Amino acid sequence: MKTDTVLSVSSTSVAFRPQRTRIKICGLTRANDIAAAVAVGADALGFVFYEKSPRYVTAAEAAALVREIPPFVMTVGLFVNASVAEVAAVCAQVPLQLLQFHGDESPADCMAIAQAVQRPFIRAARVQPELDLLEYQAQYTAAQALLLDAHVTGYGGGGKVFDWSLIPEKLAPQAVLSGGLNVQNVATAIKQVRPYAVDVSSGVESAKGIKDHQLIQQFVAAVRQAEQ
Ligand SMILES: O=C(O)c1ccccc1NCC(=O)[C@H](O)[C@H](O)COP(=O)(O)O
């Protein structure tokens, strides 16, 4: 080829779509609710292995539910102050891709469990003004993300919104926003916080542990609308 030929390369700017906000639906207890969540594009499905929760499922129940889930939808196992042995027993029966620690687990507790069962984890933070979220994140460096939830009586699933202005800007794009989200407020939450993902449980329910399929559809639609 003639060396003086200059190849003109037209630069094309590739317009990347803005990141799609990931959506986790938590507290699933029924196969038809799973089907409804998957049908509208939920990215992750949460199963609560905390016996005091009205959304609690046994490992055997969760194993049967998870068998209904098609590929490319993540399963999240949610634990509150469980031991390594307890989490291992659940993971032996239920194909969980991600752990969510929602109790008082220390960084060492989270690491020990995650390493024992060879799963990644996210850490729930119960947000309140006294909690320095950047310092908290620095304690849980092994977590894939912080799930920012409201500080409620008990541990979670409380349907309570916290003050989103408490979320440091540099933390927001890595965080999972949770706590009292619903069809009415999730668009505002996304526009204000721009989180990596949103998580909802009671906001898409007709009763505790019973998901309302229309609310799930409307919630997902509101998230997508907020990204336009
Ligand atoms: O969902 C529960 O019942 C629950 C019980 C104990 C600990 C955590 C629990 N849920 C964890 C979640 O990730 C919920 O989605 C999160 O707390 C938000 O719940 P909601 O405010 O009802 O959307």
Side-chain angles (χ1 to χ4, degrees):
M1 178 177 79
K2 288 177 10 181
T3 54
D4 59 354
T5 304
V6 177
L7 295 177
S8 63
V9 177
S10 62
S11 64
T12 52
S13 62
V14 178
F16 288 99
R17 279 167 46 85
Q19 173 189 317
R20 183 173 59 82
T21 306
R22 268 59 172 183
I23 300 171
K24 171 180 168 255
I25 309 288
C26 196
L28 290 148
T29 63
R30 305 188 308 173
N32 64 335
D33 296 346
I34 287 172
V38 170
V40 293
D43 298 284
L45 306 173
F47 299 91
V48 177
F49 299 102
Y50 176 54
E51 291 193 22
K52 292 181 181 175
S53 165
R55 302 170 184 92
Y56 170 67
V57 286
T58 66
E61 289 165 342
L65 289 170
V66 167
R67 273 196 288 275
E68 305 295 321
I69 299 174
F72 315 129
V73 179
M74 177 171 275
T75 53
V76 184
L78 193 138
F79 298 90
V80 174
N81 301 329
S83 67
V84 171
E86 288 164 337
V87 176
V90 170
C91 289
Q93 293 184 69
V94 189
L96 297 172
Q97 278 104 30
L98 181 66
L99 307 178
Q100 178 177 320
F101 296 121
H102 219 104
D104 307 305
E105 301 86 353
S106 68
D109 295 333
C110 295
M111 284 284 287
I113 296 170
Q115 285 174 344
V117 299
Q118 288 293 293
R119 298 289 192 289
F121 72 92
I122 58 176
R123 168 73 252 183
R126 298 194 287 274
V127 181
Q128 49 187 341
E130 302 77 23
L131 181 66
D132 178 335
L133 282 171
L134 290 176
E135 192 275 329
Y136 191 82
Q137 183 190 45
Q139 288 179 37
Y140 290 91
T141 48
Q144 278 198 331
L146 288 186
L147 180 139
L148 306 179
D149 199 356
H151 192 281
V152 295
T153 308
Y155 286 99
K160 179 181 172 188
V161 176
F162 67 88
D163 179 358
W164 301 326
S165 68
L166 292 173
I167 303 171
E169 196 169 326
K170 68 185 291 190
L171 175 63
Q174 310 150 27
V176 179
L177 182 60
S178 180
L181 296 180
N182 57 43
V183 176
Q184 289 70 37
N185 67 17
V186 70
T188 303
I190 288 175
K191 288 182 167 65
Q192 178 176 329
V193 177
R194 293 288 174 204
Y196 170 76
V198 291
D199 162 67
V200 65
S201 186
S202 58
V204 292
E205 289 182 336
S206 54
K208 288 182 187 285
I210 306 299
K211 303 307 181 190
D212 179 304
H213 300 182
Q214 191 173 18
L215 286 179
I216 290 176
Q217 188 278 329
Q218 290 170 353
F219 183 86
V220 172
V223 171
R224 297 294 168 245
Q225 182 64 35
E227 294 168 331
Q228 301 308 319

